[in-house]
Amino acid sequence: MKGNRTIFIEFFLLGFGDLHGLKIPLFMLCLLVYVLCFIGNLMILILVSSSYLLQSPMYFFLCHLSLCDMVLTTDIVPSLLHIILRNGRVMSFPECITQYQFFGASTGTECLILTVMSYDRYLAICHPLSYIPIMGAKLKHHLVVSSWSLIFAITTIIAVLMSTQHFCGENMIDHFFCDFVPIVELSCSNTRPLQTINLILTAPVTLLPFMVIIVSYVCISVVIVKIPTVKGRQKAFSTCSSHLMVVSLYYTSLIAIYLVPTSGRSVIALKVLSLLYTLVIPFLNPLIYTLRNQEIKSTVIKLVCSKR
């Protein structure tokens, strides 16, 4: 170790502890869900890029949502599978920081992409005549590039600051991946400045997007209620129901983990919730958009028929 640098520090991730007879079933279940999740999100990327029916801004944003899910699961799940089989895993400090950075980048970018998608639905329903002129190719690309760039910049700053921390004593992380809090808790340095900077940088890109989503859907609901026919209301709501379902699942799990007080809550419950939004929700997202979207289902049917 040189100064405060932690290049040679190693952490031991405990995972779910001794699973006894559940080790192989849990391994197979996580592997199956990961493979299906990857295939589902990859299918959305292929469908949107190859079909002329799916060239609207909404599907462009959906592609990047799928990309976020693929980055998140690929960052977490292979290590998780190793932890399950070996009852833990030794991870070097650079590996741990890299895993945290990609985890933070994918989850943070997903928050912003979901916000952009809510704004897209707001324009499409509340201002349909202005939708195409406003949400053109230039704006949609700027929104996506800005989302990825902003979050990667934030996570890079935090990762660099974490690398300056001094670590000593116990090196066990009672989790299945390297998150900010478990790493910082092992630091022997004064972590107050790091935690303050982390809060200042991350709170706006998680809470403000959530508020924007709420305001967008309040406006959308007001417009939908004013539609005179039941069929018209159903058609308008169907264009945003999938996104609303994904937002509800995603933010509910994030709030339960990071905003609800941890006192009195078991570590196992925290790990199960973390597993929910790092694996289960990315698996459900393509299912929700595929099963509830007529244009995607029509594209899949045409693709299957053409192959036959």
Side-chain angles (χ1 to χ4, degrees):
M1 186 181 298
K2 183 178 179 181
N4 280 342
R5 296 183 66 83
T6 52
I7 296 176
F8 303 107
I9 290 292
E10 289 183 337
F11 295 118
F12 185 79
L13 277 70
L14 296 175
F16 293 95
D18 193 354
L19 296 170
H20 303 290
L22 296 176
K23 180 189 297 186
I24 300 302
L26 181 61
F27 175 86
M28 297 303 296
L29 178 62
C30 290
L31 178 60
L32 176 63
V33 173
Y34 171 62
V35 171
L36 293 177
C37 170
F38 195 90
I39 292 174
N41 284 292
L42 182 62
M43 182 187 72
I44 288 179
L45 291 175
I46 294 173
L47 287 175
V48 173
S49 61
S50 61
S51 174
Y52 69 92
L53 295 175
L54 306 177
Q55 296 305 309
S56 68
M58 179 180 68
Y59 295 112
F60 176 75
F61 299 136
L62 179 58
C63 272
H64 285 272
L65 184 68
S66 294
L67 185 59
C68 288
D69 287 336
M70 292 172 70
V71 172
L72 175 61
T73 53
T74 302
D75 180 50
I76 300 295
V77 179
S79 175
L80 169 63
L81 296 176
H82 182 277
I83 290 171
I84 293 174
L85 279 183
R86 303 294 182 180
N87 294 324
R89 182 193 173 187
V90 174
M91 185 177 288
S92 69
F93 185 80
E95 285 181 297
C96 207
I97 291 297
T98 301
Q99 186 185 59
Y100 161 75
Q101 186 170 6
F102 278 95
F103 161 75
S106 56
T107 53
T109 304
E110 185 151 345
C111 288
L112 296 186
I113 294 296
L114 288 172
T115 307
V116 169
M117 293 175 76
S118 70
Y119 175 65
D120 175 80
R121 292 299 85 205
Y122 163 76
L123 286 178
I125 294 174
C126 300
H127 303 281
L129 298 179
S130 305
Y131 175 66
I132 296 301
I134 294 176
M135 192 60 73
K138 193 173 183 179
L139 178 60
K140 72 180 184 180
H141 283 94
H142 281 172
L143 289 172
V144 167
V145 171
S146 299
S147 298
W148 282 102
S149 301
L150 175 62
I151 298 300
F152 260 104
I154 290 174
T155 53
T156 300
I157 292 172
I158 296 174
V160 170
L161 292 175
M162 290 171 68
S163 67
T164 65
Q165 297 292 299
H166 179 70
F167 292 88
C168 58
E170 188 176 0
N171 67 338
M172 289 187 295
I173 296 178
D174 194 6
H175 211 334
F176 61 86
F177 69 95
C178 295
D179 204 353
F180 178 81
V181 174
I183 297 175
V184 171
E185 286 179 345
L186 298 179
S187 175
C188 301
S189 306
N190 179 17
T191 61
R192 184 66 62 86
L194 174 59
Q195 294 182 36
T196 302
I197 293 173
N198 178 68
L199 181 63
I200 292 173
L201 292 177
T202 59
V205 296
T206 51
L207 297 180
L208 288 180
F210 186 53
M211 294 172 62
V212 171
I213 291 172
I214 292 175
V215 172
S216 297
Y217 274 102
V218 168
C219 296
I220 289 171
S221 300
V222 171
V223 172
I224 290 178
V225 169
K226 292 181 180 179
I227 297 176
T229 64
V230 175
K231 186 175 181 180
R233 289 195 294 269
Q234 290 176 343
K235 183 178 180 181
F237 180 74
S238 66
T239 63
C240 56
S241 58
S242 299
H243 176 257
L244 185 59
M245 189 178 300
V246 170
V247 167
S248 301
L249 287 171
Y250 189 73
Y251 271 97
T252 298
S253 60
L254 285 183
I255 291 171
I257 292 173
Y258 294 107
L259 295 183
V260 174
T262 57
S263 58
R265 186 170 58 178
S266 69
V267 177
I268 293 297
L270 181 63
K271 293 176 185 177
V272 171
L273 286 171
S274 298
L275 190 64
L276 176 67
Y277 83 90
T278 56
L279 180 59
V280 178
I281 291 178
F283 163 71
L284 293 176
N285 285 352
L287 288 178
I288 292 172
Y289 277 104
T290 302
L291 296 177
R292 297 182 62 86
N293 189 292
Q294 292 297 328
E295 290 178 331
I296 292 182
K297 286 195 288 187
S298 299
T299 303
V300 172
I301 292 172
K302 289 180 179 179
L303 181 63
V304 171
C305 292
S306 65
K307 293 297 182 182
R308 286 183 178 179

